[in-house]
C-alpha cells in the first residue's frame, strides 16, 4: 500500500512532537533532581558514606557544698574496631586477645561484626595506659585507640549511697548519678570520615571533628567533713553493737538541706559489682521503713501544743505505769510509773501513758491530720530514687487502741528522711521544707553558677510560738530527762530518745 507524502509528514511531525516532549520531560526531571532535590540527595549519599568514631563527653563532677570534689573523671583508653578496615581478622583477634586477656574466639566474633564501628567491651574498655601503648605498637589496621572517661572516687566509699555509680557507658545507675543523669552526662562528640561501600576510608576525604560538650558540675548540700565524721561514728557503732544496719542523717532544719547522710552496710562505687545488689540498690535513709517509737512523740507534742490541749508547766498527769485503753494494757517503760508529773516532765521522762492522754485529747481526726501535714505517709520528694511512703493507719481502721499507740509512736511506719524532715519543721518555726541534696549547677569551664537550687517550702505546719515551746521541751529532755547522754557542756542541745518494738517471726 502506498503512503502519501502528507501522511509521512504528519507522522514525522508527530514523532518530532513526542520526542520533543520526552526530551523536555527528561530535561525538567534532570533540573528537578539537580536543582530542587539535589542537595537533599547529596546529603543522603554523604550520610550513607559517613562513619563516626564517638568521643565521650566528660561527665560533670560532683562536689560537696564547699567545692571539695567527691567524684570526677580520669581519662582512660578504650579500644574500638572498624571491621571493614581489618586486613587479617584471625591475626588481629589473636594479638588483641593476648594483650587484653580475652578469648580469641570472642574477640574474632566482635571484630568481624557487620557494623561500621565496634567497641571491644568489656575487655577493651577503660584499659591501662600500658595495654593501650602495647596495642598502638602493634599497628593493626582497623583498630583504634580512643580516649574514654572513668569515674574516680577520691574518698573511697564516702557518701556512696548519695553519689551512686555509673555503668560501662558512663550512664548513671544509682544515687545522684542517676537522678541528674540528664545534666551530668554532657553531649557526645565524634570524629566523622567518609568510607566506601566496603568501609574503607575514601581517599582525599577530610575528617570532621565534632567537639563533645561536657556535663555540668553538681554541687551538693553535703559537707564532706560532717559526712566523714558521721560515717566514722557509724563504723564504730557497727563494731560495738554488731547491728544488721545503722543509719545517720544530718539536716539543716532551717532549709531542709542534707549536710550528711549515710548508712551501713555500704559499698565502694568504683567496685560496686563486688557487693550484693541489695547493698548498693537500697539507700536505707530514704528506703527503709521502721516504727519510730518515742521519737514520734515530738509530733504528738507539737499538735497538742498547737491545738491548745496542754500547758506543759501547769497541767499535771499521774502515771501509774500503764494506761487501760479499749481493753488493752499499755505500759510505760518505767515499771511502777512516774507518779505525779507536769506535762513537761511527761516529755522529759518519755512517759507513754501521758502521751496516750495527749492523743485522746486531740482525737483521731486532728492527730492524723497533723501527722499527714508533717509529711508522713507520703514521699518527701528528695532528689534520690527508691524513696518509700511509710505506712499509716487508714482512718476507718483507727480505734481507741490505734489512736493511743500512734500517739507514742507504735503502729505507724516511717522512713528516716520523713522523721528528720518532720522534726526539723517542729523546731524551726513550724516550716516544713522538702529535703534537698542538690545545691547548685556549675559550668565546667568557667566555674560560674548556672543554676542555684533554692530550698522548697512545702507548708507551715505549726506556729513559731508553738515551735519555740517544742524546742524548749526537747532541750529539757537532754538537760533533765532521758536524753542526758546527748548533753554537751557549753551547748544548747535538744533531743528525744526513742525505742520501738520490732517484729520477729511475725510477733
Amino acid at each position: 500500500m502506498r503512503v502519501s507524502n502528507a501522511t509521512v509528514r504528519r507522522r514525522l511531525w508527530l514523532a518530532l512532537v513526542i520526542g520533543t516532549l520526552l526530551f523536555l520531560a527528561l530535561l525538567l526531571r534532570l533540573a528537578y533532581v539537580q536543582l530542587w532535590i539535589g542537595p537533599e540527595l547529596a546529603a543522603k549519599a554523604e550520610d550513607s558514606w559517613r562513619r563516626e568514631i564517638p568521643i565521650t563527653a566528660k561527665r560533670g563532677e560532683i562536689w560537696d557544698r564547699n567545692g571539695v570534689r567527691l567524684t570526677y573523671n580520669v581519662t582512660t583508653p578504650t579500644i574500638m574496631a572498624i571491621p571493614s578496615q581489618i586486613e587479617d581478622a584471625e591475626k588481629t583477634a589473636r594479638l588483641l586477645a593476648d594483650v587484653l586477656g580475652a578469648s580469641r574466639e570472642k574477640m574474632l566474633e566482635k571484630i568481624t561484626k557487620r557494623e561500621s564501628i565496634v567497641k571491644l567491651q568489656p575487655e577493651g574498655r577503660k584499659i591501662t595506659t600500658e595495654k593501650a601503648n602495647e596495642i598502638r605498637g602493634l599497628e593493626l589496621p582497623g583498630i583504634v585507640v580512643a580516649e574514654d572517661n572513668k569515674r574516680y572516687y577520691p574518698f573511697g566509699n564516702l557518701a556512696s549511697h548519695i553519689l551512686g555509680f555509673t555503668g560501662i557507658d558512663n550512664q548513671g545507675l544509682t544515687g545522684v548519678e542517676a537522678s541528674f543523669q540528664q545534666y551530668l552526662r554532657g553531649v557526645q562528640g565524634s570524629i566523622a570520615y567518609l568510607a566506601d561501600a566496603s568501609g574503607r576510608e575514601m581517599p582525599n576525604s577530610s575528617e570532621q571533628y565534632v567537639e563533645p560538650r561536657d556535663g555540668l558540675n553538681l554541687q551538693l548540700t553535703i559537707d564532706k567533713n560532717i559526712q566523714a565524721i558521721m560515717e566514722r561514728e557509724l563504723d564504730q557503732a557497727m563494731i560495738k553493737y554488731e547491728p544488721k544496719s545503722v543509719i545517720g542523717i544530718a539536716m539543716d532544719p532551717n532549709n531542709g538541706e542534707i549536710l550528711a547522710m549515710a548508712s551501713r552496710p555500704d559499698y565502694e562505687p568504683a567496685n560496686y559489682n563486688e557487693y550484693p545488689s541489695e547493698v548498693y540498690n537500697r539507700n536505707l535513709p530514704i528506703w527503709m521503713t521502721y516504727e519510730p517509737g518515742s521519737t514520734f512523740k515530738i509530733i504528738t507534742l507539737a499538735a497538742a501544743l498547737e491545738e491548745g490541749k496542754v500547758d506543759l508547766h501547769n497541767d499535771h498527769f499521774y502515771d501509774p505505769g500503764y494506761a487501760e485503753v479499749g481493753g488493752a494494757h499499755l505500759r510505760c517503760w518505767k515499771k511502777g510509773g512516774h507518779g505525779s508529773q507536769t506535762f513537761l516532765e511527761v516529755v522529759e521522762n518519755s512517759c507513754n501513758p501521758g502521751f496516750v492522754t495527749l492523743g485522746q485529747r486531740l482525737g483521731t481526726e486532728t492527730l492524723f491530720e497533723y501527722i499527714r501535714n508533717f509529711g508522713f505517709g507520703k514521699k518527701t520528694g528528695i532528689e534520690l530514687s527508691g524513696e518509700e511512703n511509710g505506712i499509716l493507719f487508714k482512718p476507718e481502721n483507727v480505734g481507741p487502741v490505734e489512736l493511743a499507740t500512734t500517739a507514742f509512736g507504735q503502729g505507724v511506719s516511717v522512713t528516716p528522711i520523713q522523721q528528720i524532715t518532720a522534726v526539723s519543721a517542729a523546731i524551726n518555726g513550724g516550716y516544713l521544707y522538702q529535703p534537698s541534696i542538690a545545691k547548685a549547677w556549675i559550668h565546667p569551664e568557667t566555674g560560674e553558677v548556672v543554676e542555684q537550687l533554692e530550698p522548697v517550702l512545702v507548708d507551715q505546719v505549726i506556729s513559731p510560738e508553738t515551735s519555740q515551746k517544742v524546742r524548749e521541751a526537747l532541750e529539757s529532755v537532754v538537760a533533765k530527762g532521758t536524753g542526758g547522754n546527748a548533753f554537751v557542756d557549753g551547748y544548747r542541745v535538744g533531743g528525744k530518745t526513742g525505742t520501738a518494738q520490732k517484729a520477729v517471726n511475725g510477733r
Side-chain angles (χ1 to χ4, degrees), residues 494-507:
K496 181 70 193 75
T497 54
T499 56
Q501 294 177 340
K502 183 176 180 180
V504 178
N505 298 325
R507 295 178 62 84

Side-chain angles (χ1 to χ4, degrees), residues 38 48 51 68-69 82 128 188 197 246 273 282 299 351 375 397-398 419 430 471 474 491:
S48 68
R51 303 291 185 270
V68 177
R69 296 194 298 175
I82 304 175
T128 64
Q188 182 174 272
V246 58
N273 52 355
R282 295 174 180 175
I299 309 306
C351 176
N397 295 333
V398 179
Q419 182 74 0
R471 285 198 303 273
L474 296 182
Y491 289 86

Side-chain angles (χ1 to χ4, degrees), residues 303 307 309 361-371 373:
E307 291 295 312
K309 300 297 183 181
R361 290 182 183 182
L362 284 164
T364 300
E365 184 176 342
T366 301
L367 177 58
F368 275 83
E369 181 182 1
Y370 274 93
I371 290 172
N373 289 346

Side-chain angles (χ1 to χ4, degrees), residues 78-339:
T78 289
I79 309 303
M80 297 183 180
I82 304 175
S84 60
Q85 296 181 8
I86 295 175
E87 297 174 357
D88 188 336
E90 294 281 352
K91 175 184 175 183
T92 300
R94 174 171 53 81
L95 293 174
L96 286 175
D98 290 345
V99 175
L100 299 175
S103 162
R104 295 184 182 183
E105 292 75 16
K106 288 185 178 180
M107 191 59 62
L108 179 62
E109 181 183 344
K110 290 177 181 179
I111 67 173
T112 54
K113 286 183 177 180
R114 297 176 62 85
E115 297 179 14
S116 58
I117 295 176
V118 178
K119 291 181 179 179
L120 303 184
Q121 57 187 13
E123 302 92 343
R125 196 75 188 274
K126 300 177 181 179
I127 62 175
T128 64
T129 303
E130 291 75 18
K131 286 186 177 182
N133 289 335
E134 190 174 349
I135 291 174
R136 287 191 183 98
L138 296 174
E139 297 183 351
L140 298 171
I143 301 301
V144 178
V145 180
E147 295 297 330
D148 207 342
N149 294 305
K150 181 180 179 180
R151 265 327 208 194
Y152 179 64
Y153 303 87
F155 303 108
N157 62 347
L158 185 80
S160 57
H161 283 100
I162 295 173
L163 298 175
F165 55 84
T166 59
I168 194 168
D169 290 317
N170 268 354
Q171 77 278 25
L173 297 179
T174 63
V176 294
E177 293 276 26
S179 299
F180 298 107
Q181 163 74 359
Q182 180 180 354
Y183 303 102
L184 288 168
R185 67 183 175 188
V187 179
Q188 182 174 272
S190 65
I191 297 175
Y193 63 95
L194 301 182
D196 59 20
S198 61
R200 293 186 295 270
E201 187 172 356
M202 289 185 178
N204 302 321
S205 64
S206 59
E207 293 181 342
Q208 183 180 2
Y209 174 68
V210 177
E211 185 176 8
R213 190 166 72 244
D214 295 343
L216 295 175
N217 295 336
L218 173 60
Q219 184 177 35
L220 300 179
T221 61
I222 296 299
D223 185 304
K224 181 258 177 185
N225 293 326
I226 299 176
Q227 183 76 25
I229 293 170
M230 174 179 286
E231 297 204 23
R232 181 194 68 197
E233 296 303 315
L234 296 187
D235 288 335
Q236 291 180 0
M238 290 292 288
I239 295 170
K240 184 175 181 180
Y241 300 107
E242 299 182 356
K244 290 184 178 180
S245 61
V246 58
I247 297 168
I249 307 176
M251 174 185 281
D252 184 340
N254 294 313
N255 54 23
E257 291 184 353
I258 303 296
L259 302 176
M261 184 168 71
S263 60
R264 294 293 185 270
D266 65 342
Y267 68 99
E268 292 185 21
N271 303 303
Y272 71 90
N273 52 355
E274 298 177 4
Y275 296 81
S277 60
E278 59 267 21
V279 172
Y280 58 74
N281 279 332
R282 295 174 180 175
N283 190 350
L284 298 185
I286 68 170
W287 175 83
M288 193 183 86
T289 58
Y290 70 107
E291 192 175 84
S294 292
T295 58
F296 200 73
K297 292 172 181 175
I298 298 171
I299 309 306
T300 304
L301 172 64
L305 289 170
E306 181 73 8
E307 291 295 312
K309 300 297 183 181
V310 66
D311 184 314
L312 293 179
H313 300 281
N314 298 318
D315 286 357
H316 286 74
F317 173 79
Y318 183 83
D319 171 28
Y322 62 91
E324 292 286 348
V325 180
H329 193 74
L330 306 177
R331 295 190 184 91
C332 184
W333 63 269
K334 183 179 180 181
K335 189 175 182 179
H338 295 93

Side-chain angles (χ1 to χ4, degrees), residues 15-28:
L16 178 62
V17 170
I18 293 173
T20 302
L21 291 174
L22 289 174
F23 177 77
L24 288 174
L26 289 173
L27 187 64
L28 289 172

